[in-house]
Amino acid sequence: MKYYIIAGEASGDLHGSNLMKAILKQDPNAEFRFWGGDLMESVGGTLVKHYRDLAFMGFLEVAKNIRTILKNIKFCKEDLKNYLPDTLVLIDYPGFNLRIAKFAKSLGIRVVYYISPQLWAWKEGRVNIIKKYVDEMLVILPFEEDFYKKHQYNKVRFVGHPLLDAISDLKPISKDEFKKEFNLNDKEIIALLPGSRKQEVEKMLSIMLSVRERFEDYQFVIAGAPSLPREFYQKYVDDDVHFVSNRTYDLLRCSSAALVTSGTATLETALLNVPEVVCYRGSKVSYHIGKWLIRNIKYISLVNLIMNKEVVKELIQDELTTDNLVGELHKVLYENRERILLDYKELQNKLGGKGASDKAAMVIIKALL
């Protein structure tokens, strides 16, 4: 069978690669053409465009790059028309993917959405587009199935969260060997996950590193994004600030705590049992537009959203100051650690166990047989 997959971000690349592996187990002759990244490319098939050329952050950035975005949409439609897959699989990335879903249906191509856009947070009206153009919605958060059914859309299935699979497959790691491999010192590690896009990394790393003088007993290690070159991070690195690329999970497993930019990484950090402080700061215009649009949720991190309570502290926009960051990091290191780890156990239970990629692949393939 022929599969066309579109993932527009680093997290989509991870989940797309695991889905491709699961499809190959059930359909060994599967042929893939995709928009994604290095992880998907390592599975096999044809990479059409890398997500590093697709990801624009915030309302202003999208507005500035609208011509590029429209050009990419036009190119994708032509490529899809020429390839004519048996199934189009869309992974999150709604502004782009929902336009492609409509076009694919006009060609008679079956459309499966894997990992729902966060319509429960904003742009709820997009449910009507999904009802019209998506044949099957595979969701990974436990409350999303009820959300869609509330909107009379019943072609939805909760398959569990694929991060559980990615994390369960990790090999054991020695903290001492990890430190030796990356020339780290003997101090305990605080991991810094500033994001995957250049704009957000530049904004977040400076404020994250502003706490270092108050935690002299720790060393800080930056998790580099695969989409950004090593040279980009060099200005932040010195004797007690180190850099690790493409080893974020290993870094987290060797860390005492983490400062994490809001996004999928907050959930990854929690599933690896690392107490964290969630950080977010966007441009003032983007933030205020987003705040006006997103009115019906209490939290921004997936950890707190899934648990429906504050498990991890969120420092957002003006609250993200050095003093606040110091105070909250001190709490996760010395005061709230055990409580957070207990909540993390409950979080894992809510996510439905392992096998999300296999379940999703089974649904996708079954309808083609």
Side-chain angles (χ1 to χ4, degrees), residues 175-217:
K175 188 184 293 188
D176 290 338
E177 289 177 6
F178 181 81
K179 287 181 176 180
K180 184 178 179 180
E181 180 180 352
F182 291 98
N183 297 313
L184 307 182
N185 58 46
D186 292 332
K187 294 179 181 179
E188 291 298 300
I189 296 170
I190 295 174
L192 305 180
L193 279 65
S196 61
R197 304 179 184 95
K198 184 178 179 181
Q199 302 102 307
E200 68 182 346
V201 173
E202 288 176 332
K203 284 177 183 174
M204 302 307 301
L205 263 183
S206 295
I207 184 67
M208 288 178 172
L209 285 170
S210 70
V211 307
R212 56 186 296 207
E213 292 180 2
R214 308 277 287 274
F215 295 91
E216 293 181 349
D217 293 335

Side-chain angles (χ1 to χ4, degrees), residues 167-267:
I167 287 168
S168 68
D169 289 340
L170 295 174
K171 297 176 182 177
I173 186 168
S174 161
K175 188 184 293 188
D176 290 338
E177 289 177 6
F178 181 81
K179 287 181 176 180
K180 184 178 179 180
E181 180 180 352
F182 291 98
N183 297 313
L184 307 182
N185 58 46
D186 292 332
K187 294 179 181 179
E188 291 298 300
I189 296 170
I190 295 174
L192 305 180
L193 279 65
S196 61
R197 304 179 184 95
K198 184 178 179 181
Q199 302 102 307
E200 68 182 346
V201 173
E202 288 176 332
K203 284 177 183 174
M204 302 307 301
L205 263 183
S206 295
I207 184 67
M208 288 178 172
L209 285 170
S210 70
V211 307
R212 56 186 296 207
E213 292 180 2
R214 308 277 287 274
F215 295 91
E216 293 181 349
D217 293 335
Y218 292 86
Q219 59 186 319
F220 293 80
V221 183
I222 301 166
S227 56
L228 296 174
R230 185 183 188 90
E231 297 76 36
F232 172 78
Y233 295 93
Q234 284 306 117
K235 60 185 175 184
Y236 301 103
V237 174
D238 58 29
D239 290 344
D240 261 332
V241 179
H242 307 273
F243 172 80
V244 170
S245 182
N246 294 321
R247 296 285 292 279
T248 301
Y249 284 1
D250 288 343
L251 168 61
L252 284 169
R253 290 192 290 164
C254 295
S255 299
S256 299
L259 305 181
V260 186
T261 296
S262 179
T264 304
T266 63
L267 184 57

Side-chain angles (χ1 to χ4, degrees), residues 148-361:
Y148 278 107
K149 288 182 177 177
K150 182 184 77 174
H151 287 277
Q152 291 79 50
Y153 179 71
N154 296 313
K155 299 173 184 177
V156 56
R157 191 176 310 199
F158 173 57
V159 294
H161 206 292
L163 279 180
L164 293 172
D165 299 332
I167 287 168
S168 68
D169 289 340
L170 295 174
K171 297 176 182 177
I173 186 168
S174 161
K175 188 184 293 188
D176 290 338
E177 289 177 6
F178 181 81
K179 287 181 176 180
K180 184 178 179 180
E181 180 180 352
F182 291 98
N183 297 313
L184 307 182
N185 58 46
D186 292 332
K187 294 179 181 179
E188 291 298 300
I189 296 170
I190 295 174
L192 305 180
L193 279 65
S196 61
R197 304 179 184 95
K198 184 178 179 181
Q199 302 102 307
E200 68 182 346
V201 173
E202 288 176 332
K203 284 177 183 174
M204 302 307 301
L205 263 183
S206 295
I207 184 67
M208 288 178 172
L209 285 170
S210 70
V211 307
R212 56 186 296 207
E213 292 180 2
R214 308 277 287 274
F215 295 91
E216 293 181 349
D217 293 335
Y218 292 86
Q219 59 186 319
F220 293 80
V221 183
I222 301 166
S227 56
L228 296 174
R230 185 183 188 90
E231 297 76 36
F232 172 78
Y233 295 93
Q234 284 306 117
K235 60 185 175 184
Y236 301 103
V237 174
D238 58 29
D239 290 344
D240 261 332
V241 179
H242 307 273
F243 172 80
V244 170
S245 182
N246 294 321
R247 296 285 292 279
T248 301
Y249 284 1
D250 288 343
L251 168 61
L252 284 169
R253 290 192 290 164
C254 295
S255 299
S256 299
L259 305 181
V260 186
T261 296
S262 179
T264 304
T266 63
L267 184 57
E268 292 172 309
T269 302
L271 294 178
L272 289 166
N273 289 313
V274 183
E276 65 184 302
V277 181
V278 176
C279 308
Y280 176 79
R281 179 183 288 167
S283 70
K284 287 187 177 180
V285 173
S286 291
Y287 173 71
H288 286 295
I289 292 174
K291 192 175 180 181
W292 179 73
L293 290 171
I294 303 172
R295 302 177 181 181
N296 58 333
I297 61 170
K298 294 184 287 185
Y299 307 107
I300 65 168
S301 70
L302 285 171
V303 178
N304 293 342
L305 282 166
I306 294 165
M307 293 291 287
N308 197 29
K309 67 177 184 178
E310 187 182 81
V311 174
V312 294
K313 183 64 178 180
E314 300 175 354
L315 294 177
I316 305 169
Q317 206 65 7
D318 293 339
E319 293 180 352
L320 184 59
T321 65
T322 299
D323 286 343
N324 286 346
L325 206 48
V326 167
E328 295 304 328
L329 182 55
H330 187 277
K331 287 178 185 177
V332 301
L333 285 168
Y334 304 113
E335 299 174 23
N336 298 338
R337 186 178 190 85
E338 294 306 314
R339 188 270 301 164
I340 291 171
L341 293 177
L342 281 173
D343 282 336
Y344 282 176
K345 286 185 179 179
E346 185 181 346
L347 172 72
Q348 292 192 32
N349 291 333
K350 282 180 175 284
L351 288 175
K354 297 187 294 183
S357 301
D358 289 332
K359 292 173 190 172

Side-chain angles (χ1 to χ4, degrees), residues 24-248:
L24 283 169
K25 284 192 288 185
Q26 301 177 46
D27 180 7
N29 296 316
E31 180 183 308
F32 298 113
R33 189 170 178 86
F34 54 89
W35 297 46
D38 299 343
L39 295 175
M40 293 173 73
E41 190 172 27
S42 70
V43 179
T46 301
L47 174 63
V48 180
K49 276 190 181 286
H50 199 288
Y51 68 78
R52 73 169 71 95
D53 301 321
L54 306 174
F56 300 105
M57 177 189 172
F59 298 99
L60 283 179
E61 289 78 9
V62 169
K64 289 176 184 177
N65 291 281
I66 191 66
R67 290 181 67 181
T68 301
I69 293 168
L70 293 175
K71 187 177 178 181
N72 284 334
I73 290 171
K74 182 179 179 181
F75 175 80
C76 184
K77 288 179 178 179
E78 286 299 315
D79 195 54
L80 190 64
K81 186 176 180 180
N82 292 331
Y83 187 62
L84 287 179
D86 296 292
T87 292
L88 169 65
V89 181
L90 306 172
I91 301 178
D92 199 1
Y93 198 48
F96 189 95
N97 276 339
L98 288 176
R99 290 174 181 243
I100 301 303
K102 180 178 179 180
F103 179 76
K105 286 305 291 181
S106 74
L107 299 176
I109 298 171
R110 180 170 173 267
V111 179
V112 176
Y113 219 120
Y114 177 50
I115 305 179
S116 169
Q118 296 178 354
L119 304 186
W120 34 267
W122 73 310
K123 294 195 175 181
E124 195 166 329
R126 283 178 165 173
V127 172
N128 294 321
I129 300 174
I130 286 170
K131 289 167 71 173
K132 203 169 182 181
Y133 303 115
V134 174
D135 296 295
E136 191 98 37
M137 172 64 74
L138 307 179
V139 299
I140 63 172
L141 299 175
F143 56 82
E144 289 178 320
E145 198 169 28
D146 289 337
F147 167 81
Y148 278 107
K149 288 182 177 177
K150 182 184 77 174
H151 287 277
Q152 291 79 50
Y153 179 71
N154 296 313
K155 299 173 184 177
V156 56
R157 191 176 310 199
F158 173 57
V159 294
H161 206 292
L163 279 180
L164 293 172
D165 299 332
I167 287 168
S168 68
D169 289 340
L170 295 174
K171 297 176 182 177
I173 186 168
S174 161
K175 188 184 293 188
D176 290 338
E177 289 177 6
F178 181 81
K179 287 181 176 180
K180 184 178 179 180
E181 180 180 352
F182 291 98
N183 297 313
L184 307 182
N185 58 46
D186 292 332
K187 294 179 181 179
E188 291 298 300
I189 296 170
I190 295 174
L192 305 180
L193 279 65
S196 61
R197 304 179 184 95
K198 184 178 179 181
Q199 302 102 307
E200 68 182 346
V201 173
E202 288 176 332
K203 284 177 183 174
M204 302 307 301
L205 263 183
S206 295
I207 184 67
M208 288 178 172
L209 285 170
S210 70
V211 307
R212 56 186 296 207
E213 292 180 2
R214 308 277 287 274
F215 295 91
E216 293 181 349
D217 293 335
Y218 292 86
Q219 59 186 319
F220 293 80
V221 183
I222 301 166
S227 56
L228 296 174
R230 185 183 188 90
E231 297 76 36
F232 172 78
Y233 295 93
Q234 284 306 117
K235 60 185 175 184
Y236 301 103
V237 174
D238 58 29
D239 290 344
D240 261 332
V241 179
H242 307 273
F243 172 80
V244 170
S245 182
N246 294 321
R247 296 285 292 279
T248 301

